Amino acid sequence: MGFDDLYVGQEYTREFPVTEEMGRAFAQISQDFNLLHLDEDYAKQTMFQGRIAHGMLVASFISGVLGNDFPGVGTVYLEQNLKFVRPVRYGDVISVIIQVMDKDVVTNRIKLSTICRNEAGKNVIEGMAEVMKKE
């Protein structure tokens, strides 16, 4: 999808299952071995009463959508802010919802709302991104 094809208000959604295998792989890649994500016995003693997925694992789904699907190949990620609203558990299915908020035709920059929502329809991550798309 090219820059000219995008319009304010346009929205794209993609679903991602969150698996324990992803959590283990993300721990290895990020070196984040927090027991809250990996050890059920430990996590049961916390306010979450069980393991939760790494927040940045879930946030990385946003990057996957931006670079592959919407706006897609050729997108340059410039900025992202995130607010972690609710925990995500292994087995959840997360919808990444990207919406075009603003387009600057002079700089080819696009401001996007970036929301991750669980299967219950509740936001788990809320944020905004700025990307550049030349073609």
Side-chain angles (χ1 to χ4, degrees):
M1 173 169 294
F3 180 85
D4 292 336
D5 299 318
L6 300 168
Y7 57 88
V8 173
Q10 188 175 11
E11 191 172 284
Y12 180 87
T13 301
R14 180 174 166 197
E15 290 186 349
F16 293 84
V18 181
T19 67
E20 291 184 46
E21 294 78 20
M22 287 176 171
R24 286 192 295 273
F26 190 82
Q28 289 295 321
I29 291 165
S30 67
Q31 294 293 289
D32 178 354
F33 299 107
N34 186 331
L35 296 178
L36 186 57
H37 308 302
L38 303 171
D39 185 298
E40 185 65 29
D41 291 333
Y42 171 83
K44 281 182 181 176
Q45 307 300 318
T46 70
M47 64 187 258
F48 299 107
Q49 300 178 352
R51 287 180 306 151
I52 61 172
H54 296 78
M56 292 306 288
L57 164 64
V58 178
S60 73
F61 299 153
I62 297 168
S63 179
V65 170
L66 296 180
N68 295 314
D69 305 320
F70 184 83
V73 176
T75 298
V76 178
Y77 218 147
L78 300 173
E79 184 177 334
Q80 175 76 60
N81 70 44
L82 300 168
K83 180 178 180 183
F84 298 95
V85 181
R86 296 189 164 69
V88 173
R89 303 205 183 266
Y90 299 115
D92 286 355
V93 177
I94 300 300
S95 294
V96 174
I97 304 143
I98 307 295
Q99 184 178 37
V100 178
M101 304 304 288
D102 191 35
K103 246 178 90 168
D104 185 331
V105 295
V106 174
T107 62
N108 290 336
R109 292 181 181 213
I110 308 156
K111 290 189 180 179
L112 304 163
S113 167
T114 56
I115 304 292
C116 294
R117 189 171 288 153
N118 65 20
E119 61 272 15
K122 298 191 183 264
N123 290 357
V124 296
I125 297 176
E126 299 170 349
M128 295 291 290
E130 185 171 340
V131 300
M132 186 169 39
K133 179 82 172 167
K134 290 202 175 186
E135 67 264 359

